[in-house]
Amino acid sequence: MDNENQSVTIGQKLHDARVAKGYTLDDLQKNTKIQKRYLMAIEDNNFDALPGEFYVRAFVKQYADSVGLNGQELLNDFNHKLPDTEDPEYVDRVNDDNPQTRSVQRKADERTEKIRRYIPIAAVSVVVLIILIAIWVAAAKSTRNTAKTEIETSKVSVSGSSSSSKSSSAKKAKKKASTSNTKVSFSQLSATDSDLTYRVKGASKTPKIKLSVTEASGSDSATSDSSATSAWMSVTADGSSLWQAALTAGKSHTVSLPANTSSVTINSGNAPVTKISVDGKQMKLPTASSQVRNVILQLNGSADSSSTETSSSTTDTTTDTTGTQTGTDTGTTGY
């Protein structure tokens, strides 16, 4: 295999496999959800054109699996010709070249600066409030005992009423927030190693998809930092691309879907650390055995229809250590 690698590049091998399968680049783009320009760059061995070296191996593996090659064996055979995904410099380059990450950081800095500007104003307001309270106490002491008693009685009454009102308002707000989050439900329609399809019910007319990245489990705390875990993601609604970028651990991005959207495809280049929420309700996705995964959401449910439908029975879906799910749905299944 070493002699073959010297004469045949990884891009040429993938190109030949695609042609042998009779696939065009458009066919492969539809199957892998990887943009056509990235597929062309892989065939030309132009890995610098990809979103970042951190994702070269993930894209190459998905390409190989789609054209009938063993992606992992191909990566092992051409390991010395591919970028080292563990090199922190590659991760830093992805973050530096990502305007979305810089924009989020800039907004965070602006919020911090605003807080610093308002601290003196808040301090002065507190001092003024203390002075007013002291004046009021002094004036109350100068009145007659009977008037003072009436004022204190009134104050206790108003304070009790205010506390009761605040408690009632807090309970209503908490109940409303709980109802808003729990009305969204998900039903799994199909599942493969790299593709999951769900029906979403109870979402709003313009649902909000929140994407976030968590720290990879089992990472070495002595060598890892917030930038060592990241994922390149894209969101497509009814065939139209809405957003695509790389997110690092601890960061999130919310995409507002157009009204009457029926289908959403979320592509993740680092599935094990990707989290997805719809209208504030986080999806409980099975453990990913594939680095790249597509999550397809069918938004054909509504708040009205979901309230009138009932579930006859549900068989829990279990996930083994390889991420394979088994389960039999006997009714509408949701979280």
Side-chain angles (χ1 to χ4, degrees):
M1 187 63 192
D2 293 337
N3 294 333
E4 182 180 351
N5 285 344
Q6 294 176 359
S7 59
V8 179
T9 64
I10 190 170
Q12 183 63 42
K13 188 163 186 176
L14 291 171
H15 172 272
D16 294 343
R18 175 177 63 80
V19 173
K21 283 285 187 179
Y23 293 156
T24 66
L25 286 173
D26 290 329
D27 295 333
L28 200 59
Q29 176 180 246
K30 183 178 180 181
N31 293 339
T32 63
K33 302 300 185 295
I34 299 175
Q35 293 187 20
K36 183 177 179 180
R37 59 193 179 99
Y38 294 150
L39 298 174
M40 295 174 64
I42 291 174
E43 290 187 354
D44 294 337
N45 296 287
N46 183 18
F47 301 129
D48 291 336
L50 270 65
E53 289 85 346
F54 187 76
Y55 303 101
V56 171
R57 293 175 180 269
F59 285 0
V60 168
K61 183 178 184 300
Q62 187 175 7
Y63 187 126
D65 292 339
S66 299
V67 296
L69 299 177
N70 188 312
Q72 190 58 50
E73 289 184 1
L74 187 68
L75 291 177
N76 294 336
D77 293 339
F78 290 90
N79 182 60
H80 63 287
K81 294 185 178 181
L82 295 174
D84 184 5
T85 58
E86 299 300 326
D87 190 346
E89 294 182 2
Y90 289 134
V91 179
D92 293 339
R93 286 181 56 189
V94 172
N95 295 334
D96 292 340
D97 294 339
N98 182 9
Q100 181 65 25
T101 303
R102 296 199 302 270
S103 175
V104 172
Q105 183 62 41
R106 184 167 56 254
K107 290 180 180 179
D109 294 339
E110 290 176 355
R111 287 195 296 269
T112 303
E113 184 62 26
K114 287 182 180 180
I115 293 175
R116 290 177 180 175
R117 288 201 303 265
Y118 286 128
I119 287 177
I121 298 176
V124 172
S125 300
V126 171
V127 172
V128 172
L129 181 61
I130 293 174
I131 293 174
L132 292 175
I133 292 175
I135 294 174
W136 180 84
V137 171
K141 287 182 178 180
S142 65
T143 60
R144 294 180 299 176
N145 293 335
T146 55
K148 181 178 179 180
T149 302
E150 292 177 359
I151 291 174
E152 290 179 350
T153 303
S154 176
K155 180 181 177 182
V156 170
S157 177
V158 172
S159 176
S161 176
S162 176
S163 299
S164 177
S165 178
K166 289 181 179 179
S167 177
S168 177
S169 298
K171 290 181 179 179
K172 289 181 179 179
K174 185 176 180 180
K175 182 178 180 181
K176 182 178 181 181
S178 176
T179 303
S180 177
N181 289 338
T182 57
K183 71 179 182 180
V184 178
S185 63
F186 309 93
S187 302
Q188 183 174 295
L189 300 180
S190 63
T192 64
D193 190 33
S194 60
D195 292 273
L196 298 172
T197 302
Y198 291 87
R199 176 179 289 111
V200 181
K201 293 185 177 181
S204 60
K205 292 184 179 179
T206 55
K208 288 180 171 53
I209 306 296
K210 182 180 179 181
L211 306 174
S212 59
V213 175
T214 60
E215 287 287 350
S217 61
S219 61
D220 186 358
S221 59
T223 59
S224 64
D225 55 23
S226 61
S227 64
T229 301
S230 60
W232 184 87
M233 305 182 200
S234 66
V235 178
T236 304
D238 292 337
S240 300
S241 178
L242 300 182
W243 173 82
Q244 57 181 351
L247 290 178
T248 56
K251 301 295 183 181
S252 63
H253 182 78
T254 300
V255 179
S256 295
L257 302 180
N260 300 322
T261 298
S262 60
S263 178
V264 179
T265 300
I266 301 169
N267 175 260
S268 173
N270 194 354
V273 297
T274 299
K275 300 296 181 184
I276 302 173
S277 297
V278 179
D279 282 345
K281 181 68 175 291
Q282 182 173 317
M283 299 183 66
K284 296 181 180 178
L285 299 175
T287 302
S289 60
S290 174
Q291 184 73 7
V292 179
R293 184 162 67 179
N294 299 316
V295 178
I296 303 169
L297 305 180
Q298 301 293 344
L299 300 171
N300 59 352
S302 64
D304 294 335
S305 62
S306 64
S307 64
T308 57
E309 294 180 356
T310 58
S311 299
S312 59
S313 63
T314 303
T315 300
D316 292 337
T317 303
T318 59
T319 307
D320 59 17
T321 57
T322 63
T324 305
Q325 294 185 333
T326 59
T328 304
D329 292 337
T330 59
T332 301
T333 304
Y335 318 133

